[in-house]
Amino acid sequence: EVVGDVRQRSLDLAPTPQAYLAHAQSDDPPNYMALVVRSSLPAATIEDAVRRLAHSIDAGAIALALGDTRLANTVMLGAAADSLPFTADALLAEVLRRFGGKEELRQRNADAFEAGREQMRGTSPGQGVMRTGRPNSDRIPAPN
């Protein structure tokens, strides 16, 4: 996906054109994950919060516990959800909108989102969605 000009390596360097590939599309996927944040706020305003978030949660391990490392991005979104200037429900609805009527993908991403939120609230791994494994369809907004 072509995303435009991004400050990928440092906030001090000029933005450069970027394109992102899913890990599965790469012959040699990197052993790291980049978190790109788009905001109308100055970068310095959100940099510390994003760094704390990125260092405080192992999204890959949580995604793996949920059965799919590709869920790591949604775990991170859930972890950030309560710190953003809009509701977690609005963010979750936008994430799930991407999956349309694909109920299994919607449910797995809803579980990953909630697992990220639980991790940031201090809920021990293995509780909540990670423990029950039951669908939480009452929390999943219907597709638009």
Side-chain angles (χ1 to χ4, degrees):
E1 178 176 341
V2 176
V3 294
D5 294 344
V6 176
R7 294 180 192 267
Q8 176 94 1
R9 301 286 179 218
S10 169
L11 295 175
D12 299 329
L13 300 175
T16 58
Q18 298 290 317
Y20 298 129
L21 297 174
H23 283 259
Q25 291 178 299
S26 176
D27 291 333
D28 185 24
N31 60 357
Y32 63 88
M33 184 185 333
L35 176 64
V36 178
V37 178
R38 178 184 297 175
S39 175
S40 59
L41 299 172
T45 302
I46 60 171
E47 181 180 11
D48 286 337
V50 171
R51 284 186 192 277
R52 282 193 308 275
L53 171 65
H55 290 286
S56 67
I57 184 170
D58 187 345
I62 294 169
L64 184 60
L66 291 169
D68 189 342
T69 57
R70 294 175 296 175
L71 295 169
N73 287 337
T74 306
V75 170
M76 288 298 291
L77 287 172
D82 292 326
S83 301
L84 299 172
F86 39 82
T87 68
D89 288 340
L91 180 58
L92 176 59
E94 185 59 28
V95 168
L96 298 181
R97 184 182 65 81
R98 298 188 64 200
F99 300 105
K102 298 175 183 172
E103 290 305 316
E104 180 183 352
L105 289 175
R106 289 170 54 81
Q107 184 62 58
R108 292 174 69 198
N109 278 272
D111 289 348
F113 187 90
E114 188 58 31
R117 287 185 79 197
E118 289 176 359
Q119 183 70 29
M120 291 308 291
R121 289 187 203 122
T123 304
S124 300
Q127 293 180 333
V129 295
M130 293 171 64
R131 175 179 50 79
T132 65
R134 292 185 308 239
N136 297 311
S137 58
D138 59 315
R139 293 191 315 218
I140 301 175
N144 292 336

